[in-house]
Amino acid sequence: MKRVLIITYYWPPAGGSGVQRWLKFSRYLPEFGWEPVIYTPENPECLVRDESLASEIRPGTEIIRTRITEPYGIYRKLTGGQGIGKEVNIVRASEDKSLIQRISMKVRGNLFVPDPRCLWIRPSVSYLKKYLKDHPVDAVVTTGPPHSMHLIGRGLKRSTGITWIADFRDPWTEIFYFKHIPMSARIRKKHLELEKSVLDEADAVVAVSPTVQKEFMRKTNTPVALITNGWDKNDFTEKEESGYPSFNIVHTGLFSADGNPVNLWKVLGELCREQEGFSEKLKIRLAGKTDKAILESVKASGLSADDLGYVRHETAVEEQRQASLLLLPLRQEPEYEAVLPGKLFEYLASGRPIIGIGSPKGAMAEVLSSSGCGKTFGWNDTAALKDEILRRWKEYRAEGKTKDTDKTAVLKYERSRLTAEMAGLLDSLTK
């Protein structure tokens, strides 16, 4: 069996969406002839923790951990513990930032390039060069962000010539928040140069959405593969339905202020006043870290929400399965049209209808439309959004639930099938 070294910052017990992709790939890779070896920090800064994810690590998986030095510990001390781990979105949190926070952001943007994990690059390259002499592998995969992981891969490629795949879960300089990070023109140029070097020096690049794939193909002659995120069949085993006593509008995962669907709260408030029984049956359930601006907006529309906070992954999946409608707003940034959020694929697997808020011409809208699993509405498309929710409400009143979507349309996004694609790419590069 061939061996692949996977360099990832996010690994259990860290929770959140950044963990899922390679946790799932590593679980299924041995079925396709590849033994994964995980290299990850011993002491990472975790926005959230989910101890239950450890049970999803394939038994016998080799995991290498080394200590990482990060500036976030100093940041927390300066801000009295109200730092990175407390904000929903470090770049554009709803709160006005203090002077110390603004200074910290400038330091982060100009001193730590490409990101605050950069201090782990040199020690990791040095450690892994020694490791590979005694424990050879056939290929290396780096997954970012943080993009420092790619620079570790670049260092190994330059020093050993090993086959290297750079897997981008998000873009680098094209990501929506890049323009908001306070940095000098020289540092912005440095980011572009680093991105270009990673794209050019990798043996293959992987993107998770068609738009990002096209962006990278314009920037490099290196082959760029498209392997999306997905859903795991083991998370969605058939269960007996426990009933739908409420008309549940459900959002799972990170819910930031710049993705606040004000038009939706307005529509729901109107329907509570206009439709008999609607206000009694409506439940807005938010499972994940939710910005306080969202909760304030819900309240301002005369509604209330069940703010569940961060929940274990299996609990989030159960919330999805019990939804009448799943809510998926994108951030209000033009760059975000290219994004296919990881939660989209679990939403698809749940079999529950999806309400997308964002560009009707974006990547998410295309997936929802082609699969028949939902509809996407613009940020100001209030009338059409209201008609759709009213239609689903009438289904619920008549049948006791909204109609299921066609799960066969989303089988191509199942994790084991996607792992077969990743294994195929590894095979093609290591013949």
Side-chain angles (χ1 to χ4, degrees):
M1 184 177 292
K2 293 182 178 180
R3 283 162 46 90
V4 55
L5 175 65
I6 299 162
I7 301 173
T8 176
Y9 182 83
Y10 298 106
W11 191 256
S17 60
V19 177
Q20 293 293 324
R21 182 171 173 84
W22 280 96
L23 176 60
K24 300 297 186 180
F25 278 146
S26 67
R27 185 174 183 85
Y28 290 112
L29 274 171
E31 297 178 12
F32 302 97
W34 284 89
E35 177 187 350
V37 178
I38 310 301
Y39 178 71
T40 194
E42 179 183 322
N43 56 319
E45 287 287 338
C46 297
L47 184 65
V48 292
R49 293 175 67 90
D50 189 342
E51 302 288 347
S52 69
L53 291 179
S55 65
E56 297 194 34
I57 300 173
R58 190 182 184 97
T61 299
E62 181 179 357
I63 303 172
I64 308 167
R65 299 181 188 269
T66 65
R67 292 193 65 79
I68 182 173
T69 300
E70 298 189 67
Y72 286 152
I74 299 172
Y75 180 89
R76 281 200 310 275
K77 290 179 181 179
L78 290 173
T79 58
Q82 301 300 311
I84 301 300
K86 301 297 182 181
E87 291 188 356
V88 173
N89 185 337
I90 184 60
V91 177
R92 299 189 65 189
S94 63
E95 299 93 344
D96 291 332
K97 288 182 172 60
S98 68
L99 176 61
I100 289 179
Q101 286 175 317
R102 293 196 298 273
I103 293 173
S104 297
M105 285 300 299
K106 287 186 178 180
V107 171
R108 179 244 191 264
N110 290 280
L111 188 59
F112 301 105
V113 181
D115 50 62
R117 281 81 190 207
C118 62
L119 299 178
W120 202 46
I121 297 170
R122 285 189 178 182
S124 293
V125 172
S126 177
Y127 176 88
L128 290 172
K129 282 169 61 179
K130 296 176 183 177
Y131 171 86
L132 293 175
K133 286 182 180 179
D134 298 325
H135 309 85
V137 301
D138 298 276
V140 171
V141 174
T142 55
T143 181
H147 300 301
S148 288
M149 304 304 105
H150 297 314
L151 298 186
I152 296 173
R154 187 187 69 169
L156 292 176
K157 177 69 177 180
R158 287 178 173 180
S159 59
T160 69
I162 194 166
T163 298
W164 166 41
I165 296 176
D167 175 65
F168 285 84
R169 301 189 316 278
D170 284 313
W172 189 329
T173 58
E174 302 293 337
I175 197 165
F176 71 97
Y177 60 72
F178 184 74
K179 63 186 177 184
H180 297 296
I181 300 175
M183 64 179 79
S184 68
R186 181 179 66 84
I187 295 299
R188 289 190 186 278
K189 181 180 178 182
K190 181 66 174 177
H191 275 276
L192 291 168
E193 291 171 349
L194 290 173
E195 177 189 48
K196 178 67 172 170
S197 72
V198 167
L199 294 176
D200 287 348
E201 295 181 43
D203 293 280
V205 173
V206 177
V208 297
S209 82
T211 306
V212 175
Q213 180 190 31
K214 292 175 183 176
E215 289 174 353
F216 284 155
M217 289 174 70
R218 286 196 295 267
K219 294 181 177 184
T220 185
N221 292 322
T222 302
V224 183
L226 172 64
I227 304 179
T228 67
N229 286 309
W231 58 276
D232 190 341
K233 59 189 175 186
N234 293 315
D235 295 335
F236 291 89
T237 55
E238 292 299 324
K239 294 182 180 179
E240 184 177 345
E241 291 183 0
S242 56
Y244 297 78
S246 303
F247 186 68
N248 293 333
I249 309 289
V250 175
H251 181 276
T252 64
L254 188 68
F255 205 166
S256 61
D258 47 7
N260 186 7
V262 176
N263 58 337
L264 174 66
W265 313 136
K266 176 183 177 182
V267 163
L268 293 177
E270 291 176 354
L271 291 174
C272 282
R273 295 186 292 271
E274 297 169 1
Q275 295 295 316
E276 181 180 354
F278 191 87
S279 61
E280 289 78 17
K281 288 291 186 179
L282 175 66
K283 296 288 184 184
I284 301 171
R285 296 180 63 80
L286 310 177
K289 293 183 75 70
T290 300
D291 196 290
K292 71 177 184 180
I294 304 292
L295 302 175
E296 291 171 353
S297 187
V298 170
K299 185 177 180 180
S301 296
L303 307 168
S304 62
D306 296 327
D307 181 16
L308 307 181
Y310 183 81
V311 299
R312 298 196 307 176
H313 181 245
E314 61 189 49
T315 303
V317 168
E318 191 56 33
E319 287 290 335
Q320 294 165 11
R321 296 174 66 134
Q322 293 297 315
S324 300
L325 287 171
L326 287 164
L327 173 60
L328 187 50
L330 297 182
R331 291 181 171 92
Q332 299 182 55
E333 299 277 352
E335 298 91 338
Y336 221 76
E337 292 183 11
V339 173
L340 290 176
K343 77 185 76 174
L344 166 63
F345 301 97
E346 292 194 339
Y347 277 17
L348 293 173
S350 72
R352 313 306 300 131
I354 301 167
I355 293 290
I357 308 289
S359 170
K361 297 181 180 179
M364 178 186 73
E366 171 60 28
V367 171
L368 290 181
S369 176
S370 61
S371 65
C373 293
K375 296 182 179 180
T376 304
F377 301 88
W379 291 98
N380 299 313
D381 199 0
T382 304
L385 177 60
K386 186 174 183 179
D387 288 343
E388 175 65 7
I389 295 177
L390 183 58
R391 181 175 76 87
R392 295 297 188 176
W393 165 246
K394 290 178 179 178
E395 284 180 3
Y396 174 84
R397 290 298 296 267
E399 304 293 336
K401 62 176 289 189
T402 51
K403 292 182 180 179
D404 289 331
T405 58
D406 182 7
K407 292 185 181 181
T408 62
V410 300
L411 288 176
K412 64 182 178 179
Y413 301 119
E414 202 281 314
R415 292 283 188 183
S416 61
R417 298 191 182 198
L418 295 170
T419 306
E421 295 181 29
M422 184 64 73
L425 177 59
L426 285 164
D427 288 337
S428 70
L429 295 172
T430 56
K431 289 181 180 178

